[in-house]
Amino acid sequence: MNISIEREAKGEKIYLVAVEGEIDVFTAPELKKGLLPLTEIEDGKLILDLNKTKYMDSTALGVIVAALKSAAKHNCRFSVIGMTPRIKRLFEITGLMDLLTRAQISGGSANA
Amino acid sequence: MGTMEDEPHLAVYRDLLARYVAQDSEATEESERLSELFHERGVSPDDLVAMHLDALKQIAVNPDRVTLRSIDFLMKMMSGYGHDYREHQELKSRQKQLDTEIDVAAEVQKALLEGKVPSCPFADIGAVSVPAKKMSGDYYRIVNDGKRLAVTIADIVGKGIPAAMCMSMIKYAMDSIPENNQGAPSSILANLNRVVERNVDPSMFITMFYGVYDPETHIFSNSSAGHEPGFYYSKRENRFVDLEARGLSLGLAPESKYKEYARRIEPGDMIFLLTDGVTEIRKDHDFIEREQIVEIIREVMHMPAARLVRHVMYELKKMQKYSFDDDFTFIAMKF
């Protein structure tokens, strides 16, 4: 089980991270390592692209939550694109979707 | 070969080597046994080469200088492998120790969470909970205080030991709720959320469903903190509906509020609660859909609750080829 993480600079302080493969307990640490530093860029913008993500389990959700909280702390706008209907459902049930929406409206402050 | 175990390694090795050199036909077979014995006793590769050099010096009348020097050279080359070998042995023993510790921890956890299902005059209740690995990140609690029935089911998002530790914390937080005052679901969840938000790693969160049934009013009220919806079965309509409830998972935000839902329960109605291990189970390469779980429940819902839950677990395990990727908990309440 492998993932490949593509990081692309879209402009000053704007990054897109695309994940290909399955995010689970074995690959989640790699995603965390790739994602978290980018959430610490003050007033930055970070987009997580899940278009090529085939499967993700609860540990992947944990990484996204950690990224969301860190982004809020650093006023970094964090968004997730390319969710499959199944992932979207998981986000909706757990309330992560609400948190993401808030992160968009308030320009990063997920806890506002 | 009975003496082999007692004699010093070098002597045994030297004698066998001498016989091998002299083309003793049994020496080949014996060499395999000696190799096994050395392996068992942890003789490292570089030690073995050193032993070979010593043995050769003792048996050869006129050891050739080039051969001796070359073996000495080989010994130097092997020293790195010897280091790896010793490290490997140490890791193996440390791994064994860790396994033992995890076994003990798993036993402690099992004892802590020994889910008791109370007897209840107004409902037949069954519950089953199986960890994916040794330790579980699922939690459930069913309490009947004589007046009301309170049921909790939770899933710690994360796996293994960290999830299990987090779950023990939840257990203690839940135990601090007075038995005779189970409280409103919305305020219980709001309180727990504060505890979790303050005390767990930012990447961890917990989904929880909390419901209370009052047999006098026949009202089942519940709130959910991001938990996979359960099922409500209405006998009158002979229909399953999702026990839909919305709310942020525990630990996501500091001051989450929870909506409370209420539903009137008629005799013959049923409520089923589950953790997402149940709906995330893979069937071949696909996932089991909620409709399929309903189908399984329908086939066995005439059974007593304790048998019903075991049967559903068995059927789901079969679809999953007898293993779960995630912890699995399933509760049935028949009114």
Side-chain angles (χ1 to χ4, degrees), chain B residues 208-252:
Chain B
M208 182 182 278
F209 177 97
Y210 187 85
V212 174
Y213 176 68
D214 186 334
E216 266 179 31
T217 57
H218 303 283
I219 299 290
F220 183 81
S221 48
N222 69 269
S223 292
S224 173
H227 197 79
E228 175 76 33
F231 301 102
Y232 163 72
Y233 169 75
S234 157
K235 192 190 176 195
R236 195 160 46 88
E237 293 174 48
N238 187 22
R239 203 164 70 97
F240 279 84
V241 291
D242 288 352
L243 256 183
E244 202 75 60
R246 292 265 152 157
L248 280 190
S249 298
L250 306 177
L252 287 187

Side-chain angles (χ1 to χ4, degrees), chain B residues 114-138:
Chain B
E114 204 71 78
K116 280 187 219 102
V117 177
S119 64
C120 196
F122 46 82
D124 174 23
I125 307 163
V128 65
S129 188
V130 218
K133 299 228 175 71
K134 282 178 184 168
M135 303 185 85
S136 175
D138 280 2

